Amino acid sequence: MALIVQKYGGTSVGSPERIKNLARRVARFKALGHQIVVVVSAMSGETNRLIGLAREVMAEPDPRELDVMVSTGEQVTIGLTAMALMELGIKAKSYTGAQVRIVTDDAHTKARILHIDEKRIRADLDAGNVVVVAGFQGVDEDGNITTLGRGGSDTTGVALAAALKADECQIYTDVDGVYTTDPRVVPEARRLKSITFEEMLELASQGSKVLQIRSVEFAGKYKVKLRVLSSFEEDGEGTLITFEDSENKDSNMEQPIISGIAFNRDEAKITVLGVPDKPGIAYQILGPVADANIDVDMIIQNTGADGTTDFTFTVHKNEMPKALSILRDQVQAHIGAREISGDDKIAKVSVVGVGMRSHVGIASQMFRTLAEEGINLQMISTSEIKIAVVIDEKYMELAVRVLHKAFGLEAA
Ligand code: ADP
Ligand code: ASP
Ligand code: MG
């Protein structure tokens, strides 16, 4: 007997028929004697619909109130899922995040899970129930409803698996695993049988939305056995996230050099022009941005010839207006910057692979491939297992396609 957490995404609960289908799958696992916790997202499109409604009433929705209403999408699907299970004669009980007590910090719309009270779930499981938990949501120490950021149900699933010390966390979605890149953009993309945790973390952080990055972080921290599978297929092995230490593998040769390509249209670029080139500038610019809880991704500082420098960084598109006004109101005059500009028509494309550690020339191959298409690189950043470039948004799909081909990632 195993304890399995199964998370179903929006498409997998997109209609009553699909929820019934999900229930039949759970029933099969239950019949094998396993204990099952089901985590569900809202029906596909529902979270967007709710955010749209909020925006019709308030241009910049109040984050606390947005969480109160956006979290309702998942409250609908947990009830429906529990009922679908009951119809199959299976004992089931559903809980919202707050009812479980999935306790988060108070960063509304992007809260982090602090701890999970797993006693209630455990007792229900021991009494023979399938427990159905709402993804994407929690409650802060003061009882306010919070949400975990877009795609956050993945994180609920993995965090519950960690708290319950589950044998496996299965992420059921509308593709049958993790691919070399998004199969919707490159139809030739290939499913990976397995991918290392480090690569998955890098792909997720670079924008592959198949798993929310925090879910991968949780899996790494608590060594949760994590698998991505299709909710539309009866069986299929999906993609397993592996933890073996790639550096100790004597067979690095067998590793593909590049495992996958990620892309992200969600970032915006902010440039602070003409700042005096002296110590403390980066801190003076990014300190107030960090204080406003705005995450910064790529950072570039150029040295100018005339004693001034340009400072460029990227943030989430949604946070560009806020970051710009902080810089213009609190920072620009203070540091004597000439101009502050923002550009949200950018995209980031990243190639990821642990094999890069033992191979040189990947960057130049990437840059040559993009140059041949006349694609200009606005920013570049690298890590041991990743090279990321910022380009004009309109070339994103082209860049992903030519890189996928250049690195030989198509189906064999
Ligand atoms: P869910 O609603 O089940 O959470 P998501 O839409 O969040 O589903 O994530 C699944 C989607 O992720 C796929 O439909 C696919 O378009 C996209 N995706 C992006 N990159 C990849 C990748 N490397 N492998 C598989 N799917 C990917
Ligand atoms: N329903 C939420 C969203 O659309 C959470 C999730 O699907 O994981 O972002
Ligand atoms: Mg998702």
Side-chain angles (χ1 to χ4, degrees):
M1 184 189 81
L3 199 172
I4 303 171
V5 176
Q6 300 188 334
K7 177 262 171 178
Y8 292 88
T11 324
S12 314
V13 295
S15 66
E17 209 35 66
R18 289 196 171 157
I19 291 176
K20 289 183 197 173
N21 200 40
L22 171 174
R24 284 191 285 271
R25 180 193 303 278
V26 173
R28 286 199 298 277
F29 275 88
K30 192 88 173 66
L32 296 171
H34 301 310
Q35 290 188 321
I36 312 289
V37 174
V38 178
V39 173
V40 286
S41 296
M43 290 180 164
S44 55
E46 180 62 5
T47 308
N48 285 343
R49 188 184 73 86
L50 292 167
I51 293 172
L53 275 179
R55 292 218 171 107
E56 280 185 45
V57 173
M58 190 174 189
E60 281 290 324
D62 178 80
R64 181 189 182 280
E65 303 314 321
L66 187 62
D67 278 352
V68 167
M69 54 104 54
V70 162
S71 59
T72 59
E74 275 75 8
Q75 191 166 338
V76 171
T77 49
I78 54 170
L80 288 172
T81 302
M83 288 186 245
L85 286 163
M86 288 170 180
E87 279 289 295
L88 299 179
I90 292 173
K91 279 170 65 180
K93 259 183 148 176
S94 72
Y95 293 106
T96 64
Q99 286 176 313
V100 172
R101 275 190 68 75
I102 295 179
V103 180
T104 71
D105 61 18
D106 61 1
H108 284 289
T109 76
K110 53 178 182 183
R112 284 181 180 270
I113 297 177
L114 301 176
H115 67 92
I116 295 180
D117 194 349
E118 88 303 341
K119 285 191 294 294
R120 193 164 181 180
I121 297 181
R122 187 136 356 236
D124 284 336
L125 287 173
D126 289 343
N129 293 282
V130 168
V131 178
V132 186
V133 178
F136 178 57
Q137 55 178 265
V139 63
D140 73 7
E141 301 280 5
D142 298 325
N144 299 297
I145 293 172
T146 55
T147 63
L148 309 178
R150 298 310 302 269
S153 299
D154 296 332
T155 302
T156 306
V158 180
L160 272 171
L164 292 161
K165 301 188 176 57
D167 297 284
E168 183 161 333
C169 180
Q170 303 172 339
I171 306 283
Y172 288 96
T173 182
D174 56 4
V175 282
D176 63 352
V178 178
Y179 277 66
T180 47
T181 193
D182 189 338
R184 284 175 220 285
V185 170
V186 181
E188 295 78 23
R190 197 164 37 83
R191 179 175 61 84
L192 302 165
K193 283 195 160 82
S194 68
I195 183 167
T196 68
F197 157 72
E198 289 174 284
E199 288 169 320
M200 193 63 240
L201 191 64
E202 203 57 272
L203 283 177
S205 76
Q206 298 306 312
S208 286
K209 70 168 184 169
V210 63
L211 287 176
Q212 197 199 36
I213 179 166
R214 285 182 189 166
S215 72
V216 187
E217 287 169 356
F218 259 102
K221 190 164 172 196
Y222 298 99
K223 296 289 176 290
V224 175
K225 186 173 174 199
L226 182 60
R227 197 184 282 278
V228 178
L229 299 143
S230 165
S231 67
F232 303 128
E233 286 174 10
E234 278 271 320
D235 39 37
E237 56 174 6
T239 301
L240 181 68
I241 317 301
T242 58
F243 293 103
E244 73 266 71
D245 185 351
S246 52
E247 278 168 319
N248 291 339
K249 263 196 186 167
D250 49 8
S251 59
N252 247 353
M253 300 270 297
E254 290 165 21
Q255 287 277 351
I257 300 170
I258 302 299
S259 295
I261 302 178
F263 51 83
N264 185 350
R265 277 178 264 241
D266 294 338
E267 286 184 29
K269 185 176 80 170
I270 293 181
T271 305
V272 183
L273 289 153
V275 274
D277 193 6
K278 60 180 191 209
I281 285 297
Y283 173 65
Q284 282 174 304
I285 293 172
L286 296 179
V289 174
D291 291 343
N293 204 9
I294 297 174
D295 292 324
V296 169
D297 180 27
M298 281 172 148
I299 303 172
I300 285 188
Q301 184 179 338
N302 308 307
T303 315
D306 58 351
T308 69
T309 176
D310 298 338
F311 191 92
T312 307
F313 60 96
T314 62
V315 297
H316 195 281
K317 255 179 199 169
N318 294 346
E319 301 193 301
M320 183 177 86
K322 192 165 152 200
L324 284 175
S325 68
I326 289 171
L327 292 172
R328 288 178 180 142
D329 298 348
Q330 300 173 28
V331 178
Q332 185 169 7
H334 186 56
I335 62 170
R338 191 172 71 245
E339 193 189 326
I340 314 258
S341 69
D343 178 2
D344 63 1
K345 300 275 180 294
I346 59 158
K348 186 169 71 169
V349 175
S350 316
V351 301
V352 171
V354 289
M356 264 186 228
R357 288 202 181 107
S358 47
H359 284 79
V360 292
I362 305 303
S364 66
Q365 190 180 351
M366 179 176 188
F367 302 155
R368 185 177 66 236
T369 304
L370 297 173
E372 280 166 4
E373 300 296 329
I375 299 172
N376 185 44
L377 310 184
Q378 302 178 17
M379 297 174 87
I380 299 170
S381 97
T382 63
S383 76
E384 245 197 328
I385 63 164
K386 167 208 78 187
I387 304 162
V389 297
V390 167
I391 59 175
D392 187 325
E393 179 180 68
K394 65 174 181 272
Y395 297 123
M396 191 194 80
E397 296 202 358
L398 172 65
V400 175
R401 280 200 306 275
V402 295
L403 290 170
H404 195 267
K405 200 165 177 24
F407 286 108
L409 297 177
E410 309 97 327

